[in-house]
Amino acid sequence: MPSPPAAVLGQNRARRAAIVDELRRRLPRMESAAAATRALPFGLATLDAHLPQGGLTVGALHEIAPQTPADTPAAFGFLAALLARFVPPSRPLLLVATSRAFADHGRPHGHGLSRLGFDPARLILVETKAEKQALWAMEEALRSAVPAAVAGMIARLDLKSSQRLHLAAGAAGLPLVLLRPAQAGEASAAATRWRVGAAEAARDRFGLITRAGWKVTLERCRNGRPGEWLVEFDHAAYRFSLAAPLADPALSRHPGLFGRRAG
Amino acid sequence: MSGTPCIAALNAAAEAEGIKIGETIADARAKAESLQVRAADPAADDAALRRLALWATRYTPAASPWDEKNGADGFFLDVTGASHLFGGEEKLLADLGERLARFGLPARGAAAETAGAAWALARFHVSPVILAAGQESEALSRLPIEALRLSPETRRTLRRLGFRRIGALIDQPRAPFAARFERELLLRIDQALGRAPEPLAFIVSPPLYHSLRYLMEPVAAQEAVVAIARRLMQDIVHALVRDGVGARTLRLALYRVDGGVRSVDIGLTRPTRSVPHVARLIELKLERMGETIDAGFGFETLGLAVTTAERMEGGQTELMAGLEEAGEQPDERCAELIDGLTQRLGPRSVQRLAPLASHLPERAEAAFIATDEVPAWPAPNESQPRPLLLFARAEPAEVTALVPEGPPRRFRWRGVTHGIAKAQGPERIAGEWWHEGASPPTRDYYLVEDEAGHRFWLYREGLYGRETASPRWFVHGLFA
């Protein structure tokens, strides 16, 4: 923080009061700066520009929902690829879900996770009977500040619970990413809400998939702007990329998708 | 006598009528017309005795119910180091007798240096007695030979030979007895006099470290139980630090006012001496147990025992609660988080994934109960696509293909029909025929993408023409 020049301090009392006020205004921001306001960029300039600090706020609650129930694997893939980016890599990543959610959507498969850059060795799976316990487990994990990030599959979440989780994430300086069902639309304290749909994968000239494709919509973003992108995940380089607009046949199938991209 | 029902046990009223154990029921009925008879149930007696011995661990964890040879109607307590909590052995014995009487169990007790002497005095001494060390020989001399816990044959032989009192046996030369009787006689004398050790089978293996609290007022509230458990752990920590060990498993025993005992077992991922951590785990476990714990009229005694202790790298003592956060290692905090979640959510709820060497996708990894150990994963094999989400059981799908052995064109799964835009495969995975039992048929896996861009992992089970005439299709997983 830049200290006020000495000459200014030496002037009259009115100026001094103004400086004290200025310091008072800055202080709370500095105190919470370290934890809550760290952000993790996607590494995609057009996307990061929409987010308040040029990336996903670390100490906050984020929600990801599929466009339709059938897009749940795509949304989960986006979540896994996102989660894997949270550092330090020595810290575990917690995934909390009910037994019901695992039965409906399948269980995370280590050999599949590693293709999204998610080291399965980092994963700690927490399986609960009821969602109430899942909410408790996520809060407990955040409080412990042990994992690098916490994720959960949660079908029902009222505003009060989401505020509670958002506060816990902020206090711990850790990200909490929730996978919500397609129909979820309740009011929530989440800093961002994403909607993810499956898109045609990029293939090499032999017809083998090289990059999974997702239609990613930033529906809501506190202090940011909504947007829509066609995001790919590079299986070789383990990073996000934007689908090349002209080379990608997916574009012809989704006209107007990039209309809001400049946004 | 065989086949004729006999008296196995009787109450005070029947005793007053002059009925004796071992009499036939017909004889007993002749003495008391209103005699009521119930069939003996040795199994239930044994269970009741074990329950009582468990309750008695509120005095000392070393409680041993009497087996058949001891009459199966009482228990030993090793009160070494426990009697001072009651202000001496007399007070402990009085307290024990009083509580048993309150349960409706008139009891006789005695304390002595050896289990054999205590047994003899409890049975054959008129009033409760505390025998000082070294007086066994003198005290036992006056008792009948039945006080030696001998088999009926040995007893009869001794009676025939004219031995009435133990004193007559103690001073006899050993050689003739050793020749005439089984080892039993000399062994019992030696055990009673403390010349030979007597191993006792304890109802719970006595823990290395334990601490007990007797409460003036019984407690039932969870917070109160946790608060006392915290103090018990504080008592134990000093001994743990002294020995350089930490607790891996703990048992909190809750003694109800009515004699019932509830126990709460806590397992830890790594040894700990942290009082707040143990207290927190107990709290979480109690929350999970909820109603099943049933405090009844409350718990009057609480005992905490370290049932497994493990060496702990020195240095970190958690005696100073305030400094704890700073001193802890990340691994340790991870273990604490896993412990906390496990206690609250159940034993198999916190897991990690480890890779296994198997071609079959469902056997290519295993979920194991999370510890602080991190499994090593190989880099992904790019030529073998694997789904992000795998179903525990592959789900059947109706598939249309142009040719039976060709790629799928369209499939119906969970009530929705998907037209396939692109299919990648097949990747052939043979059944593991070297495993026991019938080997599963060969599978051909396809990574298919439907028209909306959803990616599925389908397989055809059975080779068309060779293994089956109508292959079946399954959805095994979903790609991102």
Side-chain angles (χ1 to χ4, degrees), chain B residues 93-112:
Chain B
L93 206 57
D95 185 76
L96 176 59
E98 200 178 299
R99 279 172 199 277
L100 287 173
R102 233 184 283 159
F103 294 152
L105 299 169
R108 305 168 60 125

Short mmCIF file of all heavy atoms in Angstrom, two decimals, chain B residues 93-112:
data_model
loop_
_atom_site.label_atom_id
_atom_site.label_comp_id
_atom_site.label_asym_id
_atom_site.label_seq_id
_atom_site.Cartn_x
_atom_site.Cartn_y
_atom_site.Cartn_z
N LEU B 93 -14.93 -52.06 48.02
CA LEU B 93 -15.69 -53.29 48.20
C LEU B 93 -17.10 -52.97 48.71
O LEU B 93 -18.10 -53.55 48.26
CB LEU B 93 -14.96 -54.19 49.20
CG LEU B 93 -15.20 -55.69 49.09
CD1 LEU B 93 -14.87 -56.18 47.71
CD2 LEU B 93 -14.39 -56.43 50.15
N ALA B 94 -17.17 -52.01 49.63
CA ALA B 94 -18.47 -51.62 50.18
C ALA B 94 -19.33 -51.00 49.09
O ALA B 94 -20.53 -51.31 48.96
CB ALA B 94 -18.27 -50.64 51.33
N ASP B 95 -18.71 -50.13 48.27
CA ASP B 95 -19.43 -49.47 47.18
C ASP B 95 -19.95 -50.50 46.19
O ASP B 95 -21.11 -50.45 45.76
CB ASP B 95 -18.48 -48.49 46.48
CG ASP B 95 -19.17 -47.68 45.41
OD1 ASP B 95 -19.90 -46.74 45.77
OD2 ASP B 95 -19.00 -47.99 44.22
N LEU B 96 -19.10 -51.47 45.86
CA LEU B 96 -19.48 -52.53 44.92
C LEU B 96 -20.67 -53.33 45.46
O LEU B 96 -21.66 -53.56 44.76
CB LEU B 96 -18.28 -53.44 44.67
CG LEU B 96 -18.46 -54.66 43.79
CD1 LEU B 96 -18.92 -54.27 42.40
CD2 LEU B 96 -17.15 -55.45 43.69
N GLY B 97 -20.58 -53.71 46.75
CA GLY B 97 -21.66 -54.50 47.36
C GLY B 97 -22.96 -53.74 47.38
O GLY B 97 -24.03 -54.28 47.06
N GLU B 98 -22.84 -52.45 47.69
CA GLU B 98 -24.04 -51.61 47.79
C GLU B 98 -24.73 -51.49 46.43
O GLU B 98 -25.94 -51.61 46.32
CB GLU B 98 -23.59 -50.24 48.27
CG GLU B 98 -24.68 -49.40 48.88
CD GLU B 98 -24.06 -48.08 49.36
OE1 GLU B 98 -23.16 -48.12 50.23
OE2 GLU B 98 -24.47 -47.05 48.82
N ARG B 99 -23.92 -51.24 45.39
CA ARG B 99 -24.49 -51.07 44.06
C ARG B 99 -25.12 -52.36 43.55
O ARG B 99 -26.18 -52.36 42.93
CB ARG B 99 -23.42 -50.60 43.07
CG ARG B 99 -23.19 -49.11 43.17
CD ARG B 99 -22.02 -48.68 42.34
NE ARG B 99 -21.55 -47.38 42.79
CZ ARG B 99 -22.10 -46.23 42.41
NH1 ARG B 99 -23.12 -46.22 41.59
NH2 ARG B 99 -21.64 -45.09 42.87
N LEU B 100 -24.45 -53.49 43.83
CA LEU B 100 -25.00 -54.78 43.39
C LEU B 100 -26.32 -55.04 44.10
O LEU B 100 -27.28 -55.53 43.50
CB LEU B 100 -24.00 -55.91 43.66
CG LEU B 100 -22.78 -55.93 42.73
CD1 LEU B 100 -21.77 -56.97 43.20
CD2 LEU B 100 -23.19 -56.22 41.30
N ALA B 101 -26.37 -54.68 45.39
CA ALA B 101 -27.60 -54.88 46.15
C ALA B 101 -28.72 -54.04 45.54
O ALA B 101 -29.87 -54.46 45.48
CB ALA B 101 -27.38 -54.50 47.61
N ARG B 102 -28.36 -52.85 45.05
CA ARG B 102 -29.36 -51.97 44.45
C ARG B 102 -29.92 -52.59 43.16
O ARG B 102 -31.04 -52.33 42.77
CB ARG B 102 -28.74 -50.61 44.15
CG ARG B 102 -29.54 -49.48 44.75
CD ARG B 102 -28.95 -48.15 44.37
NE ARG B 102 -27.76 -47.82 45.14
CZ ARG B 102 -26.83 -46.94 44.74
NH1 ARG B 102 -26.99 -46.32 43.59
NH2 ARG B 102 -25.79 -46.68 45.48
N PHE B 103 -29.09 -53.38 42.47
CA PHE B 103 -29.57 -54.08 41.27
C PHE B 103 -30.39 -55.31 41.65
O PHE B 103 -30.86 -56.03 40.78
CB PHE B 103 -28.39 -54.57 40.41
CG PHE B 103 -27.56 -53.48 39.81
CD1 PHE B 103 -26.23 -53.70 39.53
CD2 PHE B 103 -28.11 -52.25 39.52
CE1 PHE B 103 -25.45 -52.70 38.99
CE2 PHE B 103 -27.34 -51.25 38.97
CZ PHE B 103 -26.01 -51.47 38.71
N GLY B 104 -30.50 -55.59 42.97
CA GLY B 104 -31.21 -56.79 43.40
C GLY B 104 -30.31 -58.02 43.37
O GLY B 104 -30.79 -59.14 43.21
N LEU B 105 -29.02 -57.81 43.51
CA LEU B 105 -28.08 -58.92 43.47
C LEU B 105 -27.31 -58.97 44.79
O LEU B 105 -26.31 -58.28 44.94
CB LEU B 105 -27.09 -58.75 42.32
CG LEU B 105 -27.67 -58.70 40.91
CD1 LEU B 105 -26.60 -58.26 39.92
CD2 LEU B 105 -28.21 -60.07 40.52
N PRO B 106 -27.78 -59.75 45.76
CA PRO B 106 -26.98 -59.87 46.98
C PRO B 106 -25.65 -60.52 46.63
O PRO B 106 -25.61 -61.51 45.91
CB PRO B 106 -27.83 -60.76 47.89
CG PRO B 106 -28.80 -61.43 46.99
CD PRO B 106 -28.92 -60.63 45.74
N ALA B 107 -24.57 -59.92 47.09
CA ALA B 107 -23.26 -60.42 46.67
C ALA B 107 -22.31 -60.47 47.85
O ALA B 107 -22.52 -59.81 48.87
CB ALA B 107 -22.70 -59.50 45.59
N ARG B 108 -21.30 -61.30 47.72
CA ARG B 108 -20.24 -61.37 48.73
C ARG B 108 -18.94 -61.02 48.04
O ARG B 108 -18.70 -61.42 46.91
CB ARG B 108 -20.16 -62.78 49.30
CG ARG B 108 -21.48 -63.27 49.85
CD ARG B 108 -21.38 -64.75 50.11
NE ARG B 108 -20.34 -65.03 51.07
CZ ARG B 108 -20.57 -65.71 52.20
NH1 ARG B 108 -21.76 -66.16 52.46
NH2 ARG B 108 -19.59 -65.95 53.03
N GLY B 109 -18.13 -60.29 48.75
CA GLY B 109 -16.87 -59.90 48.13
C GLY B 109 -15.71 -60.04 49.09
O GLY B 109 -15.90 -60.08 50.31
N ALA B 110 -14.54 -60.16 48.55
CA ALA B 110 -13.33 -60.19 49.35
C ALA B 110 -12.19 -59.65 48.51
O ALA B 110 -12.22 -59.72 47.28
CB ALA B 110 -13.03 -61.61 49.80
N ALA B 111 -11.20 -59.11 49.17
CA ALA B 111 -10.03 -58.62 48.45
C ALA B 111 -8.80 -59.32 49.01
O ALA B 111 -8.67 -59.50 50.22
CB ALA B 111 -9.89 -57.11 48.62
N ALA B 112 -7.94 -59.78 48.13
CA ALA B 112 -6.71 -60.44 48.57
C ALA B 112 -5.65 -60.24 47.51
O ALA B 112 -5.93 -59.74 46.42
CB ALA B 112 -6.96 -61.92 48.82
#
